[in-house]
Amino acid sequence: LAIMRAKEAPWLDVSDFEAAVSVASEDMRTHTMLTHYRRVYPSQNITFVMGGDNWKQFHTWGRYRDILDIAGVLVLPRDHQERLDEAEAIRVLAEKKDVQKKGLVTPYHWRIVSTVQPHGASSTQIREDIHNGIEPRWLTDEQKRYIADHGLYR
């Protein structure tokens, strides 16, 4: 599905590493994935983009501080979010806040982007909708056909 979307952005590199990795919990999946990409791209800045729903609980993830050592974290609000500037993660990680307003978020820093239009797309919600027989709003027709043809998320 990501490959289908990445056709629109030739500068994106899509990998299936995350799908193949086996970890004890979802939050450790992120750490494992970022560690892998740090090894593959040792000299590149890596920015991990997460939705505001995950940001609110980021400080409870396993090895969340290590994630910040590997990659910058860019937080995008969802349209159903309450204020992200009140999230506990901000208090816990205050010293790591990125003071820059644009550009890459470098390792050891996080930034909330409030200047973009909030977007409700969530991979978790898309999978749940499909599982519950609800047509997902955020997919292209090609992606919907692929999911249906392969019986995914049922």
Side-chain angles (χ1 to χ4, degrees), residues 9-39:
W11 48 269
L12 280 177
D13 184 21
V14 178
S15 168
D16 64 354
F17 174 77
E18 185 179 7
V21 72
S22 176
V23 293
S25 63
E26 284 300 312
D27 56 348
M28 288 306 296
R29 177 180 304 277
T30 300
H31 181 272
T32 302
M33 178 188 68
L34 291 172
T35 299
H36 167 77
Y37 289 117
R38 174 52 57 222
R39 284 189 203 116

Side-chain angles (χ1 to χ4, degrees), residues 36-154:
H36 167 77
Y37 289 117
R38 174 52 57 222
R39 284 189 203 116
V40 172
Y41 304 106
S43 63
Q44 298 296 313
N45 279 324
I46 296 174
T47 300
F48 175 60
V49 180
M50 72 165 51
D53 52 335
N54 282 318
W55 172 248
K56 289 181 177 182
Q57 56 189 340
F58 182 64
H59 65 287
T60 68
W61 289 15
R63 302 186 72 178
Y64 70 94
R65 287 186 180 272
D66 292 344
I67 289 171
L68 281 166
D69 290 345
I70 299 167
V73 174
L74 182 65
V75 183
L76 300 177
R78 302 222 192 261
D79 58 6
H80 62 280
Q81 292 294 143
E82 61 225 38
R83 293 182 52 137
L84 295 177
D85 57 358
E86 297 172 358
E88 180 67 9
I90 288 179
R91 187 188 65 73
V92 173
L93 295 167
E95 79 282 1
K96 303 278 190 182
K97 184 174 183 178
D98 185 13
V99 296
Q100 303 298 317
K101 301 294 182 197
K102 60 183 178 179
L104 291 174
V105 182
T106 57
Y108 313 110
H109 297 95
W110 59 266
R111 180 187 320 147
I112 296 173
V113 177
S114 57
T115 58
V116 297
Q117 179 67 33
H119 198 286
S122 158
S123 58
T124 302
Q125 187 63 54
I126 289 169
R127 287 189 299 269
E128 287 176 6
D129 285 350
I130 293 168
H131 179 76
N132 294 321
I134 301 168
E135 184 168 332
R137 306 185 293 173
W138 309 109
L139 300 178
T140 65
D141 289 340
E142 181 184 15
Q143 290 171 316
K144 290 175 189 177
R145 276 191 304 278
Y146 182 89
I147 289 168
D149 290 350
H150 291 84
L152 301 177
Y153 313 125
R154 297 282 174 197

